[in-house]
Amino acid sequence: MLELKNLYMTVYDENGPAKEIIRGINLVFEKGKVYAITGPNGGGKTSIAKLVMGIFSPTSGEIYLNGEEITQLNISERAHRGISYAFQQPPRFKGLTIEDLIKIARPGIDQLALRGTMRDVGLCPEDYLFRDVGPGLSGGEVKRVEIAQVLAREAEVSIFDEPEAGVDLWTIQKLIGILYSKFKNNPNAITIIITHNENILGICDEIIVVGNGMVQAQGTREEVWPLIKDDVECKMKEQCGELLTYEI
Ligand SMILES: Nc1ncnc2c1ncn2[C@@H]1O[C@H](COP(=O)(O)OP(=O)(O)O)[C@@H](O)[C@H]1O
Ligand SMILES: [Mg+2]
């Protein structure tokens, strides 16, 4: 179980005034469930993920994993305890190949699993395994490599930050299938997907709406969907044109 208790975070810009971007977040994530975090841009979703991963430190509040307080642990200590995060905007690693990165994510991974993970995200291993994760890859390709690393980790807590962003429609459908088969009803996994995508929301057990640094709504798809339907459809049209309007 992952628990966020009364988290607050204030950031200080060089010139601007102090800004409280996380304002009293209390959340409990249980094993075996897939959670969606959604809500307006700038609402605080990525900041929550970064607080869980240890990239950001809260101003106050605590984070617990399976009863152990991890608030003071650094990123690698949290990774070691089984937390994995796929960035919304993944960094590039010039000089490292895709194979290198996946092997760093999952030391000792065999070739079959490595190639399978690449195919899961729509990257043909023959074409991509030895590609450098530098400027030669497109934004969508880097995004898929990032997702592949988290899939390969098979961590206890997997957080995906807008996996749909920059990824073409065909891959999104495939990705939803992979997320479903790997994480849905998986008793060993806590899965958190930050998303605006209606179809990804459709496979989640619980939806958390974050805005203005706070949890604004939380519940099952059926409970929360009426509250967010208009915003999600608007965002989908922005990203995909008029192509997709599904009912959950
Ligand atoms: N390191 C930072 N320094 C200053 N402001 C930040 C920083 N990170 C995020 N913010 C601000 O915090 C708010 C929440 O951002 P974010 O968590 O990225 O939202 P979301 O992922 O929901 O779009 C935004 O107003 C953003 O500009
Ligand atoms: Mg974000």
Side-chain angles (χ1 to χ4, degrees), residues 29-51:
F29 300 96
E30 287 169 9
K31 270 195 189 178
K33 281 194 175 177
V34 180
Y35 296 85
I37 302 183
T38 192
N41 284 339
K45 303 179 295 297
T46 294
S47 300
I48 292 173
K50 289 183 174 175
L51 282 165

Side-chain angles (χ1 to χ4, degrees), residues 45-46 88 161-162 194:
K45 303 179 295 297
T46 294
Q88 182 174 356
D161 198 343
E162 300 200 21
I194 298 172

Side-chain angles (χ1 to χ4, degrees), residues 126-170:
E126 284 68 33
D127 298 335
Y128 281 95
L129 210 49
F130 307 108
R131 294 276 301 272
D132 190 288
V133 192
L137 290 186
S138 74
E141 287 166 337
V142 175
K143 188 82 183 168
R144 293 191 222 174
V145 173
E146 177 79 2
I147 294 165
Q149 289 177 77
V150 172
L151 293 176
R153 283 277 314 275
E154 296 185 355
E156 184 178 333
V157 180
S158 298
I159 308 172
F160 297 92
D161 198 343
E162 300 200 21
E164 71 269 24
V167 172
D168 59 66
L169 282 182
W170 178 82

Side-chain angles (χ1 to χ4, degrees), residues 22 26 29 43 66 68 152 164 188 242:
I22 294 297
N26 286 287
F29 300 96
N66 299 326
E68 180 196 11
E164 71 269 24
N188 303 315
E242 299 286 335

Side-chain angles (χ1 to χ4, degrees), residues 5-24:
K5 276 198 180 160
N6 228 9
L7 287 184
Y8 286 80
M9 185 173 70
T10 300
V11 292
Y12 300 90
D13 272 343
E14 271 174 24
N15 314 315
K19 190 174 161 194
E20 194 172 54
I21 61 175
I22 294 297
R23 309 200 291 159

Side-chain angles (χ1 to χ4, degrees), residues 27 39 42-43 48 55 64 77 84 86 126 151-152 155-156 208 226 232 236:
L27 287 169
I48 292 173
I55 299 165
Y64 295 87
E77 289 166 327
S84 180
E126 284 68 33
L151 293 176
E156 184 178 333
I208 298 157
V232 171
M236 296 273 285

